Amino acid sequence: NPRGGCWAHARRHFHDAMKTTPPLLYAEVMARIGRLFAVERDIKDQLEAMAKQQGTPVVGATADAIRLQIRQELTVPELTALRHFLDEQKKVALPKSPWGQAVNYALNQWEDLSLFSKLGCLAIDNNVAERSLRGIALGRKNWLFVGSPSGGNTAAILFSVLASCKRHDVEPWAYLRDVLQRLAAPCTGEELRRLLPQH
């Protein structure tokens, strides 16, 4: 089962190797990874411009298709060149050195790290997910006692819904109030899907 890798983590490994790596090598790998992130910024800007022009946000399958097309045109060649660079570095890097470990991390994770270029719905990193979990991590001791296993399950669902609301700039309490009123009437599966925060 494929899973998306996180380029922010891969970049951090190279950043941690900065002090023991020749400056030109460090600068080159960071520039190459930086170009991957630049494509993502361009995609975001393009989607925002389209939303402004249309008067509605570009989301779902439409946004995914646009991301995928741009990534196929711009990201895939960058990934190919980066892979070649890392393969060459692996031949000369000391495996136990910070640089060698960073190169090996990226190469060992390559399928996961490149999956975002094949799926428009995936992000280049998991920073959004990590930020949404920060509040839970900070309140960890508060969540030790949820009353029962079913209470823990309910809490997990509510945390997920609230994180989705936050991600899509939806005011959580207004969203929950609206959805709970709508759920009082029978809903089809398609109607339920339309109640998700991104819609």
Side-chain angles (χ1 to χ4, degrees):
N1 206 7
R3 60 185 187 137
C6 176
W7 273 104
H9 281 93
R11 182 174 55 186
R12 195 171 305 130
H13 282 277
F14 287 107
H15 180 72
D16 291 345
M18 177 179 61
K19 291 179 182 172
T20 58
T21 302
L24 289 176
L25 282 181
Y26 174 77
E28 183 167 353
V29 77
M30 294 306 268
R32 289 177 182 274
I33 295 171
R35 288 197 289 273
L36 297 176
F37 280 92
V39 171
E40 295 302 302
R41 283 191 299 276
D42 291 344
I43 292 170
K44 184 180 177 198
D45 291 346
Q46 187 171 330
L47 290 173
E48 286 175 358
M50 289 173 67
K52 200 174 205 180
Q53 186 180 23
Q54 297 172 5
T56 58
V58 182
V59 294
T62 305
D64 293 347
I66 292 167
R67 271 189 219 98
L68 181 60
Q69 180 186 352
I70 296 171
R71 286 171 179 171
Q72 288 295 302
E73 291 172 14
L74 303 176
T75 303
V76 169
E78 291 291 347
L79 283 171
T80 302
L82 178 55
R83 175 65 193 247
H84 178 71
F85 172 77
L86 294 175
D87 284 337
E88 291 301 310
Q89 289 304 306
K90 184 177 173 107
K91 293 175 186 174
V92 294
L94 296 171
K96 299 288 186 189
S97 70
W99 176 253
Q101 289 178 346
V103 168
N104 283 327
Y105 176 85
L107 290 174
N108 290 339
Q109 303 288 322
W110 193 258
E111 288 304 312
D112 295 342
L113 287 170
S114 58
L115 186 61
F116 83 102
S117 68
K118 300 173 188 133
L119 297 173
C121 60
L122 284 183
I124 190 171
D125 58 37
N126 66 2
N127 289 346
V128 170
E130 288 195 1
R131 276 194 302 273
S132 69
L133 290 174
R134 187 169 292 138
I136 294 170
L138 290 174
R140 188 174 291 130
K141 289 190 178 173
N142 295 332
W143 324 132
L144 283 176
F145 306 102
V146 291
S148 68
S150 65
N153 191 39
T154 301
I157 291 168
L158 288 173
F159 282 133
S160 296
V161 169
L162 294 176
S164 294
C165 285
K166 188 173 181 182
R167 179 170 185 208
H168 296 288
D169 293 324
V170 174
E171 203 284 308
W173 293 116
Y175 169 78
L176 287 172
R177 210 171 17 254
D178 181 54
V179 166
L180 290 173
Q181 288 172 353
R182 291 174 191 243
L183 288 175
C187 294
T188 65
E190 184 55 37
E191 289 170 331
L192 283 174
R193 272 190 287 282
R194 278 193 235 124
L195 295 179
L196 293 171
Q198 63 263 35
H199 300 299

